[in-house]
Amino acid sequence: MYLVNVSPYLSLLICDTKIDSISSFAPQLHFVDSHSRGDKRTGFTFEIKLDISVYHNTLGSTIPAGCDSSLLDMHIEFKMYNFENPFTCPSSNNWDQVAFIGHTDNQQDTLGQIGTYAAAQLISQFRTHCFSLFILHDTARIIRWDREGAVVTEPIPYNTNSGLVEFFSRYSQAPPELHGIDTTISITPSDEATCARKASGLCGNPPMFKTTIPGNRDSPSLMVIFPRPEGRPSSPACHGTHTCRTYDLLGDRVVYLKESWRVNATDIISEGEIYADLNAKGVSHVPICLASGNVPCWSQQKTQTFRCSRLAWACKQGLVIIRHSHYFLVIDIVGDALTDFSSSWQLVQAMHDALIGEFFHPNDRVNS
């Protein structure tokens, strides 16, 4: 049983497995006590056990009884003791002198815990960002996570302040892109999904997704079909790289897809442009880039940590936040892992070809 102050604004009761899901404030959300029913399929070596897993009611009868990071909409974490609070509360006149993040072992453990939960959700879904709630006694903080970092609110005393109720009410009514769902990716029709699974050699009946990627320079755009990402341990703020075998619907072929959040800087050339230059100059042993580009999306789906770090209310001014852009890349060759080779000759040959593509000028003549 969790000890949580119940306010007249937020009727979120946790007792054994019974939860009042504040349906009057958030009728589109379903709250599940998942502290004892975790998720073992996130890619981490441990089980993800959220105190409360929040799902959208559009899942209907498929709403899990515990934690499923691949379907999660939001998570809520409760702590009882002040020494577990990872966030400090500097006053407005000494923001630049006091660290916002605590440095004790208990504080760092809590920060790592909620950060891991956010990372598990981001790597298990096609998302641009996600939200979580951290509740300590009678205060709550709302956290927005993206690939640049996290934006954390001031403590909300929900017994006397209706801010948390307003958040749930607005969140419940908000469109998918504000929740963080990548609206450029859609569910694939069953006939196309079946064809893609067969071509990609996928076993079972995994859900398939579809998106359109801009053509590279003069090439046309590609419509590709691919499975849900496999979980790989990471932090929330990272490149979030996801790669897989992908089916080119119009070309009826299997290609290689790379999704990532690349550094958005004017002096950094995108990977697709580098491939295009190498292809145009005839560099050998370099895959052909079929399509690449930043993902066109709603402004609400872009990373916000950089923008918020420069606002007047930011706790610490002048933080160096590296901007990122959501990016897709498709090449024509699907390779195997370097650990999968039938002889040492295959391994040496693969490294030989890679070195030629990396170091040799296209005018150089090389005996293969």
Short mmCIF file of all heavy atoms in Angstrom, two decimals, residues 174-236:
data_model
loop_
_atom_site.label_atom_id
_atom_site.label_comp_id
_atom_site.label_asym_id
_atom_site.label_seq_id
_atom_site.Cartn_x
_atom_site.Cartn_y
_atom_site.Cartn_z
N ALA A 174 -5.79 16.12 -25.29
CA ALA A 174 -4.80 16.56 -26.27
C ALA A 174 -4.67 15.55 -27.42
O ALA A 174 -4.87 14.35 -27.24
CB ALA A 174 -3.44 16.74 -25.60
N PRO A 175 -4.32 16.02 -28.62
CA PRO A 175 -4.12 15.12 -29.76
C PRO A 175 -2.86 14.28 -29.58
O PRO A 175 -2.00 14.60 -28.74
CB PRO A 175 -3.98 16.08 -30.95
CG PRO A 175 -3.50 17.36 -30.35
CD PRO A 175 -4.12 17.44 -28.99
N PRO A 176 -2.71 13.20 -30.34
CA PRO A 176 -1.59 12.27 -30.16
C PRO A 176 -0.21 12.93 -30.24
O PRO A 176 0.70 12.55 -29.51
CB PRO A 176 -1.79 11.25 -31.29
CG PRO A 176 -3.24 11.31 -31.60
CD PRO A 176 -3.64 12.73 -31.37
N GLU A 177 -0.04 13.91 -31.13
CA GLU A 177 1.28 14.51 -31.30
C GLU A 177 1.75 15.23 -30.03
O GLU A 177 2.94 15.32 -29.76
CB GLU A 177 1.32 15.47 -32.49
CG GLU A 177 0.36 16.62 -32.42
CD GLU A 177 -0.97 16.30 -33.10
OE1 GLU A 177 -1.23 15.12 -33.35
OE2 GLU A 177 -1.72 17.26 -33.36
N LEU A 178 0.81 15.74 -29.22
CA LEU A 178 1.19 16.38 -27.97
C LEU A 178 1.56 15.36 -26.90
O LEU A 178 2.35 15.64 -26.01
CB LEU A 178 0.06 17.29 -27.47
CG LEU A 178 -0.14 18.59 -28.25
CD1 LEU A 178 -1.28 19.39 -27.65
CD2 LEU A 178 1.13 19.43 -28.24
N HIS A 179 1.00 14.18 -26.99
CA HIS A 179 1.38 13.09 -26.08
C HIS A 179 2.79 12.61 -26.38
O HIS A 179 3.43 11.99 -25.53
CB HIS A 179 0.41 11.92 -26.22
CG HIS A 179 -0.92 12.17 -25.60
ND1 HIS A 179 -1.64 11.20 -24.93
CD2 HIS A 179 -1.68 13.29 -25.53
CE1 HIS A 179 -2.77 11.69 -24.49
NE2 HIS A 179 -2.83 12.97 -24.85
N GLY A 180 3.27 12.87 -27.60
CA GLY A 180 4.60 12.42 -27.99
C GLY A 180 4.59 11.33 -29.03
O GLY A 180 5.65 10.83 -29.44
N ILE A 181 3.42 10.93 -29.49
CA ILE A 181 3.32 9.89 -30.50
C ILE A 181 3.78 10.45 -31.85
O ILE A 181 3.38 11.54 -32.25
CB ILE A 181 1.89 9.36 -30.60
CG1 ILE A 181 1.49 8.69 -29.28
CG2 ILE A 181 1.73 8.40 -31.77
CD1 ILE A 181 0.05 8.27 -29.20
N ASP A 182 4.64 9.70 -32.53
CA ASP A 182 5.14 10.13 -33.84
C ASP A 182 4.04 9.93 -34.87
O ASP A 182 3.77 8.81 -35.33
CB ASP A 182 6.37 9.31 -34.21
CG ASP A 182 7.05 9.81 -35.47
OD1 ASP A 182 6.44 10.66 -36.18
OD2 ASP A 182 8.18 9.38 -35.76
N THR A 183 3.38 11.02 -35.25
CA THR A 183 2.23 10.93 -36.15
C THR A 183 2.64 10.75 -37.61
O THR A 183 1.77 10.60 -38.46
CB THR A 183 1.36 12.20 -36.02
OG1 THR A 183 2.17 13.36 -36.20
CG2 THR A 183 0.72 12.25 -34.64
N THR A 184 3.94 10.76 -37.90
CA THR A 184 4.38 10.48 -39.27
C THR A 184 4.41 8.98 -39.55
O THR A 184 4.62 8.57 -40.69
CB THR A 184 5.77 11.08 -39.54
OG1 THR A 184 6.75 10.40 -38.72
CG2 THR A 184 5.80 12.57 -39.23
N ILE A 185 4.24 8.17 -38.51
CA ILE A 185 4.25 6.71 -38.64
C ILE A 185 2.86 6.18 -38.36
O ILE A 185 2.23 6.57 -37.38
CB ILE A 185 5.29 6.08 -37.69
CG1 ILE A 185 6.69 6.53 -38.08
CG2 ILE A 185 5.19 4.56 -37.67
CD1 ILE A 185 7.78 6.06 -37.14
N SER A 186 2.37 5.29 -39.21
CA SER A 186 1.02 4.77 -39.08
C SER A 186 1.02 3.24 -39.11
O SER A 186 1.99 2.61 -39.53
CB SER A 186 0.13 5.31 -40.21
OG SER A 186 0.65 4.93 -41.47
N ILE A 187 -0.09 2.66 -38.66
CA ILE A 187 -0.27 1.21 -38.71
C ILE A 187 -0.43 0.79 -40.17
O ILE A 187 -1.13 1.43 -40.95
CB ILE A 187 -1.49 0.78 -37.89
CG1 ILE A 187 -1.28 1.12 -36.41
CG2 ILE A 187 -1.75 -0.72 -38.06
CD1 ILE A 187 -0.22 0.29 -35.73
N THR A 188 0.22 -0.31 -40.55
CA THR A 188 0.17 -0.80 -41.93
C THR A 188 -1.08 -1.64 -42.16
O THR A 188 -1.42 -2.48 -41.31
CB THR A 188 1.42 -1.65 -42.23
OG1 THR A 188 2.59 -0.90 -41.91
CG2 THR A 188 1.46 -2.05 -43.68
N PRO A 189 -1.78 -1.47 -43.28
CA PRO A 189 -2.91 -2.35 -43.61
C PRO A 189 -2.46 -3.81 -43.62
O PRO A 189 -1.31 -4.12 -43.93
CB PRO A 189 -3.34 -1.87 -45.00
CG PRO A 189 -2.88 -0.45 -45.07
CD PRO A 189 -1.61 -0.40 -44.27
N SER A 190 -3.39 -4.71 -43.31
CA SER A 190 -3.04 -6.12 -43.10
C SER A 190 -2.39 -6.77 -44.32
O SER A 190 -1.45 -7.56 -44.19
CB SER A 190 -4.29 -6.91 -42.70
OG SER A 190 -5.30 -6.80 -43.70
N ASP A 191 -2.89 -6.47 -45.53
CA ASP A 191 -2.32 -7.11 -46.72
C ASP A 191 -0.88 -6.65 -46.96
O ASP A 191 0.00 -7.47 -47.29
CB ASP A 191 -3.18 -6.82 -47.95
CG ASP A 191 -3.38 -5.33 -48.20
OD1 ASP A 191 -3.27 -4.54 -47.24
OD2 ASP A 191 -3.65 -4.96 -49.36
N GLU A 192 -0.62 -5.36 -46.78
CA GLU A 192 0.74 -4.85 -46.95
C GLU A 192 1.65 -5.38 -45.84
O GLU A 192 2.83 -5.68 -46.09
CB GLU A 192 0.73 -3.32 -46.95
CG GLU A 192 0.00 -2.71 -48.14
CD GLU A 192 -0.02 -1.20 -48.09
OE1 GLU A 192 0.43 -0.64 -47.07
OE2 GLU A 192 -0.47 -0.57 -49.06
N ALA A 193 1.12 -5.48 -44.62
CA ALA A 193 1.91 -5.98 -43.50
C ALA A 193 2.32 -7.43 -43.73
O ALA A 193 3.46 -7.82 -43.46
CB ALA A 193 1.12 -5.86 -42.20
N THR A 194 1.41 -8.24 -44.24
CA THR A 194 1.72 -9.65 -44.52
C THR A 194 2.83 -9.76 -45.55
O THR A 194 3.77 -10.57 -45.41
CB THR A 194 0.46 -10.37 -45.02
OG1 THR A 194 -0.55 -10.31 -44.00
CG2 THR A 194 0.77 -11.83 -45.34
N CYS A 195 2.75 -8.96 -46.60
CA CYS A 195 3.77 -8.97 -47.65
C CYS A 195 5.12 -8.55 -47.09
O CYS A 195 6.16 -9.14 -47.41
CB CYS A 195 3.34 -8.05 -48.78
SG CYS A 195 4.45 -8.00 -50.20
N ALA A 196 5.13 -7.52 -46.23
CA ALA A 196 6.38 -7.03 -45.65
C ALA A 196 7.00 -8.05 -44.72
O ALA A 196 8.22 -8.24 -44.73
CB ALA A 196 6.12 -5.71 -44.91
N ARG A 197 6.19 -8.72 -43.91
CA ARG A 197 6.72 -9.74 -43.00
C ARG A 197 7.39 -10.86 -43.79
O ARG A 197 8.47 -11.34 -43.43
CB ARG A 197 5.60 -10.31 -42.14
CG ARG A 197 5.03 -9.35 -41.11
CD ARG A 197 4.09 -10.07 -40.16
NE ARG A 197 3.25 -9.13 -39.44
CZ ARG A 197 1.99 -8.87 -39.76
NH1 ARG A 197 1.43 -9.50 -40.78
NH2 ARG A 197 1.30 -8.00 -39.06
N LYS A 198 6.73 -11.30 -44.85
CA LYS A 198 7.26 -12.40 -45.66
C LYS A 198 8.58 -12.00 -46.32
O LYS A 198 9.56 -12.75 -46.30
CB LYS A 198 6.24 -12.81 -46.72
CG LYS A 198 6.68 -13.98 -47.58
CD LYS A 198 5.60 -14.36 -48.58
CE LYS A 198 6.05 -15.53 -49.45
NZ LYS A 198 5.00 -15.90 -50.44
N ALA A 199 8.62 -10.81 -46.90
CA ALA A 199 9.83 -10.36 -47.59
C ALA A 199 10.98 -10.14 -46.60
O ALA A 199 12.14 -10.42 -46.93
CB ALA A 199 9.55 -9.06 -48.34
N SER A 200 10.67 -9.67 -45.39
CA SER A 200 11.71 -9.37 -44.40
C SER A 200 12.11 -10.59 -43.58
O SER A 200 13.03 -10.51 -42.77
CB SER A 200 11.24 -8.26 -43.46
OG SER A 200 10.95 -7.07 -44.18
N GLY A 201 11.41 -11.70 -43.78
CA GLY A 201 11.73 -12.92 -43.06
C GLY A 201 11.37 -12.86 -41.58
O GLY A 201 12.04 -13.48 -40.76
N LEU A 202 10.30 -12.14 -41.25
CA LEU A 202 9.88 -12.02 -39.85
C LEU A 202 8.98 -13.18 -39.46
O LEU A 202 8.07 -13.54 -40.21
CB LEU A 202 9.14 -10.69 -39.63
CG LEU A 202 9.96 -9.42 -39.86
CD1 LEU A 202 9.08 -8.19 -39.72
CD2 LEU A 202 11.12 -9.35 -38.86
N CYS A 203 9.24 -13.75 -38.32
CA CYS A 203 8.44 -14.86 -37.83
C CYS A 203 7.27 -14.32 -37.01
O CYS A 203 7.32 -13.23 -36.45
CB CYS A 203 9.28 -15.81 -36.98
SG CYS A 203 10.67 -16.55 -37.85
N GLY A 204 6.22 -15.13 -36.91
CA GLY A 204 5.06 -14.72 -36.13
C GLY A 204 4.24 -13.66 -36.84
O GLY A 204 4.25 -13.55 -38.07
N ASN A 205 3.57 -12.85 -36.04
CA ASN A 205 2.69 -11.83 -36.60
C ASN A 205 2.91 -10.48 -35.90
O ASN A 205 1.98 -9.89 -35.35
CB ASN A 205 1.22 -12.28 -36.43
CG ASN A 205 0.28 -11.46 -37.27
OD1 ASN A 205 0.60 -11.04 -38.38
ND2 ASN A 205 -0.91 -11.21 -36.73
N PRO A 206 4.16 -9.97 -35.92
CA PRO A 206 4.43 -8.70 -35.24
C PRO A 206 3.72 -7.54 -35.94
O PRO A 206 3.54 -7.56 -37.16
CB PRO A 206 5.95 -8.56 -35.37
CG PRO A 206 6.30 -9.31 -36.60
CD PRO A 206 5.35 -10.48 -36.64
N PRO A 207 3.28 -6.54 -35.18
CA PRO A 207 2.66 -5.36 -35.81
C PRO A 207 3.66 -4.65 -36.72
O PRO A 207 4.84 -4.55 -36.39
CB PRO A 207 2.25 -4.50 -34.62
CG PRO A 207 3.11 -4.94 -33.49
CD PRO A 207 3.38 -6.39 -33.72
N MET A 208 3.17 -4.16 -37.84
CA MET A 208 4.01 -3.47 -38.81
C MET A 208 3.56 -2.03 -38.97
O MET A 208 2.37 -1.72 -38.89
CB MET A 208 3.97 -4.19 -40.16
CG MET A 208 4.35 -5.67 -40.11
SD MET A 208 6.05 -5.96 -39.58
CE MET A 208 6.95 -5.45 -41.06
N PHE A 209 4.55 -1.15 -39.22
CA PHE A 209 4.28 0.28 -39.32
C PHE A 209 4.81 0.83 -40.64
O PHE A 209 5.69 0.23 -41.27
CB PHE A 209 4.94 1.00 -38.14
CG PHE A 209 4.45 0.53 -36.80
CD1 PHE A 209 5.03 -0.57 -36.18
CD2 PHE A 209 3.41 1.17 -36.17
CE1 PHE A 209 4.58 -1.02 -34.96
CE2 PHE A 209 2.95 0.73 -34.93
CZ PHE A 209 3.54 -0.38 -34.33
N LYS A 210 4.26 1.96 -41.03
CA LYS A 210 4.59 2.51 -42.35
C LYS A 210 4.86 4.01 -42.24
O LYS A 210 4.23 4.72 -41.46
CB LYS A 210 3.43 2.26 -43.32
CG LYS A 210 3.66 2.79 -44.73
CD LYS A 210 2.65 2.21 -45.71
CE LYS A 210 1.23 2.63 -45.40
NZ LYS A 210 0.28 2.18 -46.47
N THR A 211 5.83 4.48 -43.05
CA THR A 211 6.09 5.91 -43.14
C THR A 211 6.67 6.21 -44.51
O THR A 211 7.11 5.30 -45.24
CB THR A 211 7.05 6.37 -42.03
OG1 THR A 211 7.05 7.81 -41.97
CG2 THR A 211 8.49 5.91 -42.30
N THR A 212 6.70 7.48 -44.86
CA THR A 212 7.28 7.94 -46.11
C THR A 212 8.53 8.75 -45.79
O THR A 212 8.51 9.65 -44.95
CB THR A 212 6.29 8.81 -46.91
OG1 THR A 212 5.13 8.02 -47.22
CG2 THR A 212 6.92 9.29 -48.20
N ILE A 213 9.64 8.42 -46.47
CA ILE A 213 10.92 9.08 -46.24
C ILE A 213 11.28 9.89 -47.47
O ILE A 213 11.18 9.38 -48.60
CB ILE A 213 12.01 8.04 -45.93
CG1 ILE A 213 11.61 7.24 -44.68
CG2 ILE A 213 13.36 8.71 -45.72
CD1 ILE A 213 12.56 6.13 -44.36
N PRO A 214 11.69 11.16 -47.30
CA PRO A 214 12.02 12.00 -48.46
C PRO A 214 13.11 11.37 -49.32
O PRO A 214 14.04 10.74 -48.81
CB PRO A 214 12.50 13.31 -47.83
CG PRO A 214 11.96 13.29 -46.44
CD PRO A 214 11.88 11.86 -46.03
N GLY A 215 12.99 11.53 -50.63
CA GLY A 215 14.02 11.04 -51.54
C GLY A 215 15.32 11.77 -51.36
O GLY A 215 15.36 12.93 -50.91
N ASN A 216 16.42 11.10 -51.67
CA ASN A 216 17.74 11.70 -51.51
C ASN A 216 18.11 12.46 -52.79
O ASN A 216 18.28 11.87 -53.85
CB ASN A 216 18.78 10.61 -51.23
CG ASN A 216 20.04 11.18 -50.63
OD1 ASN A 216 19.98 11.99 -49.72
ND2 ASN A 216 21.17 10.75 -51.14
N ARG A 217 18.17 13.80 -52.67
CA ARG A 217 18.45 14.68 -53.82
C ARG A 217 17.40 14.48 -54.91
O ARG A 217 16.24 14.79 -54.70
CB ARG A 217 19.88 14.48 -54.31
CG ARG A 217 20.92 14.89 -53.25
CD ARG A 217 22.34 14.91 -53.77
NE ARG A 217 23.24 15.35 -52.70
CZ ARG A 217 24.55 15.40 -52.82
NH1 ARG A 217 25.14 15.06 -53.97
NH2 ARG A 217 25.30 15.80 -51.82
N ASP A 218 17.79 13.92 -56.06
CA ASP A 218 16.85 13.81 -57.18
C ASP A 218 16.02 12.52 -57.15
O ASP A 218 15.16 12.33 -58.01
CB ASP A 218 17.61 13.87 -58.51
CG ASP A 218 18.28 15.22 -58.72
OD1 ASP A 218 17.76 16.22 -58.19
OD2 ASP A 218 19.34 15.26 -59.38
N SER A 219 16.26 11.66 -56.19
CA SER A 219 15.53 10.39 -56.15
C SER A 219 14.16 10.60 -55.51
O SER A 219 13.95 11.51 -54.71
CB SER A 219 16.33 9.36 -55.35
OG SER A 219 16.53 9.81 -54.02
N PRO A 220 13.18 9.74 -55.88
CA PRO A 220 11.83 9.89 -55.32
C PRO A 220 11.78 9.44 -53.85
O PRO A 220 12.69 8.77 -53.36
CB PRO A 220 11.00 8.95 -56.20
CG PRO A 220 11.97 7.91 -56.67
CD PRO A 220 13.28 8.63 -56.84
N SER A 221 10.72 9.83 -53.17
CA SER A 221 10.54 9.42 -51.78
C SER A 221 10.23 7.93 -51.72
O SER A 221 9.80 7.32 -52.70
CB SER A 221 9.42 10.23 -51.13
OG SER A 221 8.20 10.04 -51.83
N LEU A 222 10.45 7.34 -50.56
CA LEU A 222 10.21 5.91 -50.36
C LEU A 222 9.13 5.72 -49.32
O LEU A 222 9.10 6.40 -48.30
CB LEU A 222 11.48 5.20 -49.88
CG LEU A 222 12.63 4.99 -50.86
CD1 LEU A 222 13.72 4.16 -50.20
CD2 LEU A 222 12.16 4.33 -52.13
N MET A 223 8.24 4.75 -49.58
CA MET A 223 7.26 4.33 -48.59
C MET A 223 7.72 2.98 -48.05
O MET A 223 7.84 2.01 -48.79
CB MET A 223 5.86 4.22 -49.20
CG MET A 223 4.78 3.87 -48.18
SD MET A 223 3.13 3.92 -48.92
CE MET A 223 2.98 5.67 -49.27
N VAL A 224 8.05 2.93 -46.78
CA VAL A 224 8.66 1.73 -46.21
C VAL A 224 7.81 1.18 -45.07
O VAL A 224 7.07 1.92 -44.39
CB VAL A 224 10.09 2.01 -45.70
CG1 VAL A 224 11.02 2.32 -46.86
CG2 VAL A 224 10.11 3.16 -44.70
N ILE A 225 7.93 -0.14 -44.86
CA ILE A 225 7.17 -0.84 -43.82
C ILE A 225 8.16 -1.58 -42.92
O ILE A 225 9.07 -2.25 -43.42
CB ILE A 225 6.17 -1.84 -44.45
CG1 ILE A 225 5.19 -1.09 -45.36
CG2 ILE A 225 5.42 -2.61 -43.37
CD1 ILE A 225 4.25 -2.00 -46.11
N PHE A 226 7.98 -1.49 -41.61
CA PHE A 226 8.96 -2.03 -40.69
C PHE A 226 8.28 -2.42 -39.38
O PHE A 226 7.17 -1.95 -39.07
CB PHE A 226 10.07 -1.00 -40.41
CG PHE A 226 9.55 0.40 -40.22
CD1 PHE A 226 9.17 0.86 -38.96
CD2 PHE A 226 9.40 1.25 -41.30
CE1 PHE A 226 8.68 2.13 -38.79
CE2 PHE A 226 8.90 2.54 -41.14
CZ PHE A 226 8.54 2.98 -39.88
N PRO A 227 8.92 -3.27 -38.56
CA PRO A 227 8.33 -3.69 -37.29
C PRO A 227 8.58 -2.69 -36.18
O PRO A 227 9.34 -1.73 -36.35
CB PRO A 227 9.05 -5.02 -37.00
CG PRO A 227 10.40 -4.83 -37.63
CD PRO A 227 10.17 -4.00 -38.88
N ARG A 228 7.95 -2.92 -35.04
CA ARG A 228 8.17 -2.10 -33.85
C ARG A 228 9.63 -2.20 -33.43
O ARG A 228 10.24 -3.27 -33.56
CB ARG A 228 7.26 -2.56 -32.72
CG ARG A 228 7.25 -1.63 -31.51
CD ARG A 228 6.49 -2.26 -30.35
NE ARG A 228 5.12 -2.58 -30.68
CZ ARG A 228 4.11 -1.74 -30.63
NH1 ARG A 228 4.33 -0.49 -30.26
NH2 ARG A 228 2.88 -2.11 -30.93
N PRO A 229 10.22 -1.11 -32.93
CA PRO A 229 11.65 -1.17 -32.55
C PRO A 229 11.88 -2.15 -31.40
O PRO A 229 11.04 -2.31 -30.52
CB PRO A 229 11.96 0.27 -32.13
CG PRO A 229 10.64 0.87 -31.78
CD PRO A 229 9.65 0.23 -32.69
N GLU A 230 13.04 -2.80 -31.44
CA GLU A 230 13.45 -3.65 -30.33
C GLU A 230 14.16 -2.80 -29.28
O GLU A 230 14.93 -1.91 -29.60
CB GLU A 230 14.40 -4.75 -30.83
CG GLU A 230 13.76 -5.74 -31.79
CD GLU A 230 14.72 -6.83 -32.19
OE1 GLU A 230 15.87 -6.82 -31.71
OE2 GLU A 230 14.33 -7.70 -32.99
N GLY A 231 13.87 -3.09 -28.02
CA GLY A 231 14.44 -2.32 -26.94
C GLY A 231 15.95 -2.50 -26.83
O GLY A 231 16.44 -3.63 -26.84
N ARG A 232 16.67 -1.41 -26.75
CA ARG A 232 18.11 -1.43 -26.49
C ARG A 232 18.39 -0.46 -25.36
O ARG A 232 17.97 0.69 -25.41
CB ARG A 232 18.90 -1.02 -27.74
CG ARG A 232 18.80 -2.00 -28.90
CD ARG A 232 19.73 -1.57 -30.03
NE ARG A 232 19.71 -2.50 -31.15
CZ ARG A 232 18.91 -2.38 -32.20
NH1 ARG A 232 18.07 -1.36 -32.26
NH2 ARG A 232 18.94 -3.26 -33.19
N PRO A 233 19.09 -0.91 -24.32
CA PRO A 233 19.35 -0.02 -23.17
C PRO A 233 19.99 1.30 -23.59
O PRO A 233 20.93 1.32 -24.38
CB PRO A 233 20.29 -0.85 -22.29
CG PRO A 233 20.00 -2.27 -22.67
CD PRO A 233 19.67 -2.24 -24.13
N SER A 234 19.46 2.38 -23.07
CA SER A 234 19.99 3.71 -23.38
C SER A 234 19.51 4.68 -22.32
O SER A 234 18.73 4.32 -21.44
CB SER A 234 19.54 4.17 -24.78
OG SER A 234 18.14 4.45 -24.77
N SER A 235 19.94 5.91 -22.43
CA SER A 235 19.40 6.98 -21.60
C SER A 235 18.33 7.71 -22.42
O SER A 235 18.30 7.58 -23.64
CB SER A 235 20.52 7.94 -21.18
OG SER A 235 21.02 8.61 -22.32
N PRO A 236 17.45 8.48 -21.77
CA PRO A 236 16.45 9.22 -22.55
C PRO A 236 17.09 10.20 -23.52
O PRO A 236 16.65 10.34 -24.66
CB PRO A 236 15.62 9.93 -21.48
CG PRO A 236 15.88 9.19 -20.22
CD PRO A 236 17.27 8.66 -20.32
#
